[in-house]
Amino acid sequence: FDASYATPLCVPSRAQLLTGRYPFRTGFTDNILARTAGTPFLSAEHRTIAHELKDRGYSTAVAGKWHLCSFEERPEHPRELGFDESLCWLWMEHDGAAGEPQWSARYFEPAVIENGAIRRRVAGAFGPTLYADFLLRFIERNREVPFFAYYPTVLPHAPWQMTPYELGRVPAVAPPSDVMSFP
C-alpha cells in the first residue's frame, strides 16, 4: 500500500492493524476499559489479516498483548479472528470471589491464556520472553510452510520493569535447545 494511518492509542491501533479498518468502522475508538456501549469485543465480522492469510494456506499465531475482548468471556477470541495458535497476556483476572477483576502481572509470572486455556501466574516466567519463545517455537514448527506470526508486545506500558537479564537473573524461561535464542 502507498499510505497508512494509525490511531496512536493502544487497543484502536491493534484493531486497525489487524482489520485494516479505521477505528470508527470497528467501534474501537478508545481503549477497552473505556468501552461502555457497543460490542465489548472485536467482532469476527471484521475480517483480519490472519483470516486472509489463513484462507491462503498460512499458519497463523499471535503472542503478547490482545485487549480486544475479555478472555474470561471469550477464551477462543484469537481463533475467532483467524489465529491458529495464541499465547496472550490475560490482563484482568477474576479470583472467583465476588468483586471487581484485578490486573494480572504484565512482566514477571504473568497470567496468560494459551490456545483458549487460562494459565494463572506462570511460575518463574518473564512475560516478554514467554511470548517470544512461543513464537520462536511456532516459527520452527512452520518453517517449511507459509506462516504469519504477530507479536503485539506488552512492553510499551507502565509499569516499566527491568528484564531478568538487567536484574542479573538467569532468564526466567529457558528457550528450547533446538531454537536459537538471543541475549
Side-chain angles (χ1 to χ4, degrees):
F1 47 87
D2 295 326
S4 66
Y5 303 91
T7 301
L9 192 58
C10 185
V11 174
S13 65
R14 281 194 307 284
Q16 191 170 357
L17 176 67
L18 286 173
T19 65
R21 303 186 80 195
Y22 289 115
F24 73 91
R25 300 225 183 262
T26 64
F28 275 77
T29 57
D30 208 335
N31 281 327
I32 197 162
L33 290 177
R35 294 181 64 81
T36 56
T39 307
F41 60 90
L42 183 62
S43 172
E45 75 183 31
H46 302 290
R47 300 240 340 137
T48 67
I49 188 170
H51 285 130
E52 296 298 325
L53 292 172
K54 190 173 173 62
D55 288 352
R56 287 163 176 78
Y58 282 67
S59 294
T60 58
V62 58
K65 193 173 181 184
W66 190 252
H67 285 180
L68 299 172
C69 72
S70 164
F71 277 125
E72 291 185 333
E73 294 171 15
R74 301 188 77 81
E76 296 289 335
H77 196 239
R79 191 173 307 280
E80 293 170 20
L81 295 186
F83 290 97
D84 297 315
E85 298 181 40
S86 62
L87 178 68
C88 298
W89 175 42
L90 190 56
W91 75 282
M92 294 295 267
E93 295 184 273
H94 291 84
D95 62 5
E100 294 297 314
Q102 302 296 313
W103 288 100
S104 73
R106 180 186 303 264
Y107 298 110
F108 290 97
E109 298 190 345
V112 298
I113 185 161
E114 183 172 4
N115 299 320
I118 293 174
R119 297 171 54 200
R120 308 259 184 223
R121 294 174 183 80
V122 180
F126 180 63
T129 302
L130 193 68
Y131 309 128
D133 288 346
F134 177 86
L135 287 177
L136 287 171
R137 288 189 300 273
F138 169 80
I139 291 167
E140 180 65 26
R141 285 192 313 277
N142 290 282
R143 69 185 196 187
E144 302 296 327
V145 298
F147 66 84
F148 173 59
Y150 173 50
Y151 180 33
T153 182
V154 298
L155 293 172
H157 294 291
W160 292 283
Q161 301 275 309
M162 294 177 76
T163 68
Y165 177 78
E166 293 166 315
L167 293 171
R169 296 181 189 169
V170 175
V173 178
S177 60
D178 61 338
V179 176
M180 181 184 299
S181 68
F182 299 92

